[in-house]
Amino acid sequence: MDRHPVRIAITPGEPAGIGPDLVAALAAGDSADERVVVGDTRLLAERAQALGITLHPYALDPDEPARPQAAGEIAILGFELATPAHAGTLDPANSRYVLDTIAAAVDGCMAGTFAALVTGPVHKGVINDGGIPFTGHTEFLGERTGGTPVMMLVAERLRVALVTTHLPLRAVADRITRPRIEQVTRILAQDLCVRFGIADPHILVLGLNPHAGEGGHLGTEERDVIEPALATLRAEGIDAEGPLPADTAFTPRHLERADAVLAMYHDQGLPVLKHVGFGHAVNVTLGLPILRTSVDHGTALDLAGSGRADAGSLAAAFALAAELAPRD
């Protein structure tokens, strides 16, 4: 059966960071699917020139069907920077530009112009310095699409999803509630089935406290919150095991039978995944009406424009988006 090309939007993210470098590097090779950069054409051309990459940009025509691209070809949905971007130097004046490119790409996905969205790294601090309250891509996408976003990172067979995302550690315990655990686990189970084609996913659910609370001696969240939530989910037919101690759940004995791990907070699950797959891991946002993947790293301002940035994670994010994207 023929594999029809799909059209995938790419947002480079922070213009002073490595995002434009990574997009130029990705466009240097050919593609079975159509890559569309939502951003400033001049910025992309400048970074490509600095890296010795020859690009052949063309304006996106949404009325034409998606097509494969030869090496160097890249479609452009153009947005102009508010002020020229200099590699490695943040400028709050471009904060609105960054969010406008993401919003346009999301809207294009919602309208069916794009089959998926791949996002480059943004800098949360400079966006807030620009006077725009911003917690992160995940929360922005949820608000824009009306979905309930769940963050999951993927590195080969290891998948780690999060109950809470970008919170101070002292605020995490208050956000670990039965409704939240049940909601996130249902979304995780559904998207593993629908998007990843796993018929009956087995999910390992971590505890919040050391040793999963040690029977209540090291914390009661497992006994009072997590265990009752999992009992409800199991009664619905969801295969959720736990709560498990986080320090042993990531051992081969447990992982070999798991389709995903559900961690209670950001730094409980992601350090393990990034140790396994940093540089080729992919951030996938579940629970949205659109398909979104992203890189597993930040803006790396010190590498911008240097030619030393590794495009492996962006390439992996694009490949996974193309793999999961619906096709006619």
Side-chain angles (χ1 to χ4, degrees):
M1 185 174 63
D2 291 337
R3 180 184 183 278
H4 299 290
V6 293
R7 179 172 285 141
I8 297 176
I10 306 171
T11 53
E14 169 54 47
I18 62 172
D21 306 45
L22 304 182
V23 172
L26 180 70
D30 59 9
S31 175
D33 297 293
E34 189 170 28
R35 303 160 295 202
V36 181
V37 176
V38 184
D40 190 285
T41 306
R42 180 176 297 178
L43 172 64
L44 185 63
E46 289 173 353
R47 290 294 179 86
Q49 184 178 17
L51 300 176
I53 296 172
T54 300
L55 295 183
H56 306 287
Y58 60 91
L60 169 68
D61 185 347
D63 295 325
E64 290 294 319
R67 65 174 180 85
Q69 292 171 324
E73 283 192 311
I74 192 82
I76 303 289
L77 177 58
F79 279 77
E80 290 189 8
L81 289 162
T83 188
H86 303 285
T89 303
L90 295 171
D91 192 331
N94 283 321
S95 297
R96 175 54 62 187
Y97 158 86
V98 172
L99 295 186
D100 285 348
T101 62
I102 301 169
V106 170
D107 293 349
C109 289
M110 295 287 285
T113 302
F114 306 122
L117 166 61
V118 179
T119 59
V122 297
H123 193 286
K124 301 179 185 67
V126 76
I127 293 175
N128 283 278
D129 290 343
I132 307 170
F134 181 77
T135 306
H137 265 118
T138 303
E139 296 79 6
F140 181 89
L141 294 171
E143 293 174 5
R144 191 80 185 180
T145 65
T148 303
V150 171
M151 181 185 291
M152 182 175 76
L153 267 74
V154 179
E156 300 174 1
R157 286 199 69 255
L158 180 59
R159 306 179 185 94
V160 178
L162 304 176
V163 174
T164 64
T165 52
H166 301 116
L167 290 176
L169 191 56
R170 66 171 60 250
V172 167
D174 290 338
R175 295 289 291 274
I176 303 297
T177 64
R178 285 185 62 179
R180 177 62 179 169
I181 292 169
E182 291 170 11
Q183 178 186 53
V184 169
T185 308
R186 290 184 186 114
I187 291 170
L188 174 58
Q190 178 177 340
D191 276 16
L192 287 173
C193 181
V194 173
R195 292 203 186 278
F196 288 81
I198 302 171
D200 186 21
H202 181 68
I203 300 169
L204 302 183
V205 181
L206 305 184
L208 174 65
N209 299 294
H211 300 180
E214 195 77 57
H217 296 288
L218 295 177
T220 60
E221 285 83 4
E222 288 77 13
R223 181 190 65 200
D224 297 341
V225 179
I226 302 175
E227 289 177 5
L230 296 185
T232 298
L233 293 164
R234 292 184 195 113
E236 298 173 4
I238 294 175
D239 185 6
E241 178 185 354
L244 298 172
D247 63 345
T248 57
F250 288 101
T251 57
R253 178 173 68 89
H254 288 293
L255 291 181
E256 66 186 7
R257 53 192 173 82
D259 294 300
V261 177
L262 180 61
M264 292 296 116
Y265 58 94
H266 187 279
D267 281 13
Q268 182 185 53
L270 297 194
V272 178
L273 183 133
K274 291 191 178 186
H275 173 72
V276 171
F278 191 75
H280 63 266
V282 179
N283 185 347
V284 184
T285 307
L286 310 178
L288 300 179
I290 68 171
L291 173 61
R292 179 257 180 163
T293 66
S294 186
V295 295
D296 68 345
H297 56 74
T299 54
L301 297 171
D302 58 320
L303 297 179
S306 70
R308 294 184 287 116
D310 185 348
S313 184
L314 183 66
F318 185 88
L320 184 59
E323 176 185 342
L324 299 180
R327 297 175 186 271
D328 295 333

